[in-house]
Amino acid sequence: MKTTRGARGNPPNRYESTRTEPFDDGWGPDDAPPPPLRTTVTNDASRNVLTRNESPDVPFDRSVNPYRGCEHGCAYCFARPSHAWLGLSPGLDFESRLLAKPEAARLLAAALRRPSYRCAPIAIGSNTDAYQPVERRLGITRAVLEVLAEFRHPVMITTKAALVERDLDLLAPMAAQGLVRVAVSVTTLDRDLARRLEPRAATPQRRLATVRALAGAGVPTAVMVAPVIPGLTDHETEAILAAAAAAGADHASHILLRLPFEVKEIMAEWLAEHHPRRAARVLALLRDSRAGRLYDSAFGSRRTGSGAYAEMLAQRFRIAARRLGLDDAPAPLRIDLFRVPPRAGDQLGLFD
């Protein structure tokens, strides 16, 4: 049977004081399948589109996320708990009840025009994928890129979707100016595993083709081996890096599986259903790498873990990346080209 969703159900979010359980009231046949779960999109009324952070673990302090929730439905997604802030479940709600920000481009342009704004790279897709399927119809991410291109503003994009190729007409000229980098995440090269783990994302082979297309157009492109799932995908690190180098990637990084809040339950259920014989080992190895817990939020180790097993993974990654030429630090994006473009009716500066 084709897998179309990552989560098995809708676990209550951490803010709820009550729980609900399904109950058969006798009105339907016992074996009746549930109705198909359809994706719905609601407009997000946010008045600010720039999100700030002070995390020392990431190379940016501001980001834009055109969507809340993600239809890719990756069982492991660390962003799932953010749906609890909306009163929704991090389970099936996260991948089927999406919120879109149709005013994102306008709000971003307004923020960039403020006299107090100081330019620094903006990350797109840092929480949920900005190129998930709904973007093909709504085009919010493209509109945001158009604003950034107009302002000559640097941007970093993270995605696992081939749809990013649509915007090469914007990305290639920005790359020529040193204004953009793209990172494509690859969890596994196993198509069958990817179909169950990341049911609505591009196949691994299609993602590598995207890396090739981006790099061929002159866009600096990295591959993120992410997440590395202990006992399930960790053996593929070297193969993924080799495939990334062959596709033209110029840099690579890795992130150990992160299971904050409700994701612990969602991923444990996924393992029990799809890999019951490996489930205990996967979780045990993760605990060994997270100070005895399934998740450790400490800065400095939350992305890579700690302990002997995590260090072994990191060492394997470093050796392979160095051998393949994927360990050089990427060139910094330019901020000196930033300028506020004149609007219709604006008076031109005397020396423009």
Side-chain angles (χ1 to χ4, degrees):
M1 182 177 67
K2 184 178 180 181
T3 300
T4 60
R5 298 291 180 181
R8 295 189 62 196
N10 257 338
N13 69 59
R14 57 194 177 279
Y15 301 121
E16 291 182 352
S17 58
T18 61
R19 299 178 68 101
T20 61
E21 296 183 3
F23 175 74
D24 180 10
D25 59 7
W27 285 103
D30 294 340
D31 58 351
L37 182 62
R38 303 190 184 281
T39 300
T40 62
V41 182
T42 304
N43 284 348
D44 186 306
S46 297
R47 297 181 181 179
N48 178 31
V49 75
L50 270 180
T51 300
R52 304 279 182 163
N53 80 83
E54 298 179 353
S55 170
D57 289 339
V58 293
F60 57 87
D61 66 358
R62 65 202 70 182
S63 60
V64 173
N65 289 284
Y67 304 99
R68 297 190 186 193
C70 185
E71 198 175 5
H72 283 159
C74 304
Y76 54 73
C77 183
F78 73 89
R80 284 181 177 273
S82 63
H83 240 43
W85 303 338
L86 307 173
L88 299 173
S89 171
L92 290 173
D93 282 352
F94 176 80
E95 52 195 278
S96 64
R97 297 179 66 178
L98 312 179
L99 279 78
K101 302 177 182 178
E103 296 295 311
R106 181 185 65 80
L107 292 169
L108 176 60
L112 300 185
R113 287 185 180 278
R114 293 191 185 111
S116 61
Y117 183 77
R118 296 295 178 265
C119 181
I122 288 176
I124 294 181
S126 59
N127 194 51
T128 58
D129 203 315
Y131 284 100
Q132 59 180 288
V134 70
E135 165 63 16
R136 189 178 301 278
R137 173 169 58 89
L138 298 182
I140 299 173
T141 300
R142 181 175 177 86
V144 167
L145 280 179
E146 289 172 344
V147 169
L148 294 172
E150 185 180 18
F151 280 75
R152 298 178 190 171
H153 196 293
V155 60
M156 300 179 289
I157 299 171
T158 302
T159 185
K160 54 168 62 83
L163 183 57
V164 66
E165 295 177 31
R166 177 201 64 187
D167 294 337
L168 274 173
D169 61 318
L170 296 171
L171 297 174
M174 292 180 73
Q177 296 178 297
L179 293 175
V180 66
R181 288 191 59 84
V182 177
V184 178
S185 63
V186 180
T187 310
T188 176
L189 297 177
D190 185 329
R191 287 174 61 96
D192 182 62
L193 174 58
R195 179 179 61 85
R196 290 177 280 119
L197 189 61
E198 308 158 329
R200 298 195 175 194
T203 67
Q205 291 69 30
R206 186 66 184 88
R207 292 181 221 177
L208 291 170
T210 296
V211 172
R212 187 172 293 108
L214 291 166
V219 179
T221 307
V223 163
M224 298 171 61
V225 186
V228 178
I229 304 177
L232 188 63
T233 67
D234 52 349
H235 66 285
E236 296 189 67
T237 295
E238 291 83 358
I240 293 173
L241 290 175
D250 62 6
H251 182 69
S253 61
H254 79 292
I255 300 176
L256 185 66
L257 177 66
R258 298 168 57 186
L259 300 180
F261 299 111
E262 298 89 346
V263 190
K264 300 182 187 70
E265 177 183 344
I266 292 169
M267 191 62 190
E269 288 184 344
W270 184 92
L271 286 166
E273 178 177 348
H274 296 286
H275 289 280
R277 295 183 179 179
R278 296 192 187 187
R281 174 169 172 74
V282 169
L283 298 178
L285 288 172
L286 195 59
R287 288 189 177 93
D288 285 347
S289 305
R290 298 289 190 196
R293 301 183 293 273
L294 286 179
Y295 184 58
D296 180 8
S297 62
F299 289 139
S301 64
R302 61 176 182 165
R303 293 166 66 90
T304 58
S306 60
Y309 181 78
E311 177 53 35
M312 180 196 69
L313 290 179
Q315 185 174 9
R316 283 176 49 201
F317 177 88
R318 287 193 297 268
I319 292 172
R322 187 182 310 118
R323 173 171 52 83
L324 294 164
L326 296 174
D327 62 335
D328 291 338
L333 297 177
R334 295 184 65 177
I335 61 173
D336 58 306
L337 298 180
F338 175 75
R339 51 107 187 191
V340 177
R343 292 173 290 196
D346 282 357
Q347 182 177 356
L348 298 178
L350 180 61
F351 300 104
D352 284 355

